[in-house]
Amino acid sequence: MSKKASDISCSSNIRSLPQVEEVLKHPLFIQLEATIARPILVDAVRKTIAEKRVLLLEDEDKVTSRDEIARDAFLRAVVNARPSLRHVINATGIILHTNLGRSVLAEEALDAVVAVARGYSTLEYNVDELSRGSRHDHCEQLLCVLTGAEAAIAVNNNAAAVLMVLSEFAQDKEVVVSRGELIEIGGAFRIPDIMNLSHAQMVEVGTTNKTHPSDYERATTDDTALYLKVHTSNYQIIGFTESVSAKEMTHIASSFKEERQAKGLSEILVYEDLGSGCLLDFSAYGLPHEPTVKEAIAQGCDLVSFSGDKLLGSAQAGIIVGSKKLIDRLKKNPFARAMRLDKMTLAALEATLRLYLDTEQARTKIPTLRMLTSPYDATQARAEELRVCIEEELNTLSALSPEPCADLFLVGEIAYAGGGSLPGCEIPSVAVALRFNQGNAFDCEQYLVQQTPNPIIARVKHDHLLFDARTVLSHDEMKEIAQGIKRYFASLYQ
Ligand SMILES: *Cc1c(COP(=O)(O)O)cnc(C)c1O
């Protein structure tokens, strides 16, 4: 195709493209204007016309019409008018799904968020002294009671907490860390990168599978500021492994104490990045033992940091607990200001922590803990409830199709904690499985994500679509799943 020829034929096609205003006058849009804001409609029409122009330039034989552009722009406008950040129904069986927002908040936390967001609050106001207060005060006492630490501070997330600790205490100094703990958490959070960012000099010791106390001793110099222990929360090494506990690290650190004092050097700190931040002993509920924050403090760690929205089950936050002297320094670090929490997160965090004052209350009221520890029988009962819900909806389609659209049955499945927590821990669960007599699992999976008011995330396995009951939160969510599936089958008859 010579360029010249295409230019001539396309230009006439392109000239025939309608103006934005012309498309907006199309009957489809007259209808829409009542429900969708005009800027979204105009934007959708503009983008659709621009897209068609590119297509016409690429292909001289292509033709388009005002009707076609109106139809495409209409669909685009409907999609763009929806909120982008929406509720999702998680039927994957992965409890802490980072892509789906990790922890679901307890009702008590939600109420607290609404209460402080709807009006003014005591965010930085001390009512006892009628004076300016600190936002760091709201959770500190609770965190101390729950972990046994002297002091605490919460920032934007645990990645921020790690960065802040390293830059406050190890800038231009050495940090000793085991090669077995140099992890990437996902989304560009790598321990070596955080070291660089905080201008700490990383000193790697040991090997991937084994690190010994003597490795730390040998690596210690006058420039050593800190021993970093990282909980390898998203992977496991099995076989011949050995790592050095925080307790052993504190022994090593104190063995250097006198020598350093004589030289006028500060003590070596032991800091554990615990990742998940478990406040409850999971082994009491048939799950693997996950080190708790309290245990890390009891082992002698000077500082421990962990996430607010992993196993703790609250809002996104990074919590640092430890000695008062060190936490006070962190409170004055400029990062504490740059990475501070907003009032809604603080409200959620405080309310969630309050639930932990009673272990059984925490376990039943914090959705993350409830889903993790819910007994198999209870999950099976929920799966049966979901199956019945779906069956009832599908029965209403009998006029469309004499044959059932799908067969429904319960299957044993494995749920996971996810979010880099409890690695390798398989939680027995139950899912509703759909075997398709019409349509198929892949199309239905896509339909449920894209065409329902709230995306429904299921999982395809052996041509069946599975809905794990462990992460489906309520009867209302079950109803939505059932209606979504029904609409999928109904769409096959349109
Ligand atoms: C998850 C995790 C982080 C990052 O925490 P965020 O709260 O997601 O920023 C850091 N370290 C460890 C060991 C983790 O598991």
Side-chain angles (χ1 to χ4, degrees), residues 174-462:
E174 290 174 0
V175 173
V176 184
V177 61
S178 162
R179 290 197 172 90
E181 297 173 5
L182 289 178
I183 53 168
E184 171 177 310
I185 301 294
F189 180 81
R190 289 174 157 189
I191 296 293
D193 295 341
I194 299 281
M195 292 271 188
N196 269 334
L197 213 56
S198 53
H199 299 282
Q201 183 72 41
M202 182 168 78
V203 179
E204 302 170 36
V205 295
T207 60
T208 306
N209 61 330
K210 284 194 179 190
T211 305
H212 306 289
S214 57
D215 292 323
Y216 287 84
E217 275 159 6
R218 267 203 307 274
T220 304
T221 72
D222 286 355
D223 289 328
T224 306
L226 197 137
Y227 296 151
L228 170 65
K229 183 161 181 64
V230 185
H231 183 49
T232 53
S233 43
N234 57 359
Y235 83 105
Q236 262 178 332
I237 298 183
I238 37 186
F240 292 101
T241 68
E242 232 169 280
S243 65
V244 179
S245 70
K247 192 172 191 158
E248 288 170 296
M249 286 185 194
T250 60
H251 284 313
I252 303 166
S254 56
S255 73
F256 286 100
K257 199 170 165 180
E258 275 183 25
E259 179 192 328
R260 290 176 68 100
Q261 248 169 4
K263 291 182 186 166
L265 299 169
S266 58
E267 287 175 45
I268 296 168
L269 302 178
V270 176
Y271 163 42
E272 179 156 12
D273 169 13
L274 209 47
S276 278
C278 197
L279 295 179
L280 206 70
D281 181 7
F282 280 115
S283 59
Y285 305 99
L287 293 164
H289 178 75
E290 175 76 8
T292 65
V293 182
K294 200 173 193 158
E295 285 164 6
I297 289 292
Q299 291 215 344
C301 285
D302 297 293
L303 292 163
V304 180
S305 74
F306 49 97
S307 291
D309 56 354
K310 290 186 182 170
L311 291 177
L312 194 140
S314 190
Q316 178 189 302
I319 298 160
I320 310 167
V321 297
S323 76
K324 181 164 180 340
K325 192 180 72 191
L326 301 177
I327 297 290
D328 278 348
R329 273 181 64 184
L330 288 174
K331 284 178 181 168
K332 296 195 192 97
N333 187 299
F335 275 134
R337 170 64 183 83
M339 297 162 171
R340 74 182 184 186
L341 287 180
D342 80 306
K343 61 190 175 190
M344 291 187 279
T345 305
L346 281 167
L349 195 56
E350 183 189 352
T352 311
L353 291 170
R354 216 166 274 291
L355 292 173
Y356 275 98
L357 295 173
D358 176 338
T359 305
E360 193 48 26
Q361 182 172 256
R363 192 191 71 77
T364 52
K365 293 194 167 170
I366 297 172
T368 299
L369 301 184
R370 191 171 60 225
M371 285 186 265
L372 276 167
T373 62
S374 170
Y376 181 84
D377 289 353
T379 308
Q380 185 164 40
R382 295 174 61 76
E384 177 58 19
E385 186 186 343
L386 174 59
R387 192 193 65 76
V388 170
C389 258
I390 300 171
E391 190 173 66
E392 281 171 4
E393 283 293 338
L394 292 188
N395 283 344
T396 65
L397 289 177
S398 56
L400 285 177
S401 150
E403 293 250 344
C405 312
D407 301 322
L408 287 169
F409 51 97
L410 301 190
V411 288
E413 264 301 310
I414 303 291
Y416 293 95
S421 302
L422 301 172
C425 168
E426 303 190 331
I427 305 165
S429 194
V430 186
V432 177
L434 249 72
R435 186 193 299 124
F436 289 77
N437 300 323
Q438 278 139 37
N440 68 70
F442 291 100
D443 287 350
C444 185
E445 180 192 31
Q446 188 177 356
Y447 182 92
L448 292 177
V449 173
Q450 294 176 345
Q451 309 288 330
T452 50
N454 295 313
I456 298 164
I457 323 282
R459 201 155 43 86
V460 177
K461 187 174 173 184
H462 306 313

Side-chain angles (χ1 to χ4, degrees), residues 1-12 15 57 60:
M1 171 177 76
S2 93
K3 189 163 187 296
K4 203 160 181 194
S6 82
D7 278 354
I8 293 162
S9 66
C10 278
S11 62
S12 65
R15 253 183 277 120
L57 274 171
E60 59 186 277

Side-chain angles (χ1 to χ4, degrees), residues 46-161:
R46 250 198 208 117
K47 286 193 173 129
T48 306
I49 293 175
E51 221 171 64
K52 294 287 177 205
R53 179 173 293 121
V54 172
L55 286 177
L56 294 182
L57 274 171
E58 278 170 359
D59 182 356
E60 59 186 277
D61 298 328
K62 199 126 195 140
V63 285
T64 186
S65 64
R66 187 177 81 125
D67 279 348
E68 189 188 61
I69 289 176
R71 233 180 2 256
D72 288 2
F74 173 90
L75 292 176
R76 181 178 233 135
V78 169
V79 168
N80 290 353
R82 296 193 301 212
S84 170
L85 184 57
R86 276 177 295 156
H87 175 72
V88 156
I89 296 171
N90 174 9
T92 63
I94 297 168
I95 295 163
L96 292 171
H97 205 303
T98 297
N99 302 148
L100 305 182
R102 289 201 186 150
S103 276
V104 172
L105 293 184
E107 285 300 324
E108 287 76 1
L110 289 171
D111 291 345
V113 170
V114 171
V116 302
R118 185 161 272 155
Y120 298 101
S121 65
T122 56
L123 181 63
E124 291 187 352
Y125 184 61
N126 183 331
V127 291
D128 292 333
E129 299 181 3
L130 301 182
S131 65
R132 189 190 165 136
S134 162
R135 72 177 64 213
H136 299 310
D137 291 346
H138 302 295
C139 295
E140 185 164 19
Q141 265 214 328
L142 281 167
L143 282 166
C144 293
V145 168
L146 295 169
T147 65
E150 260 176 33
I153 182 177
V155 289
N156 188 51
N157 55 23
N158 191 28

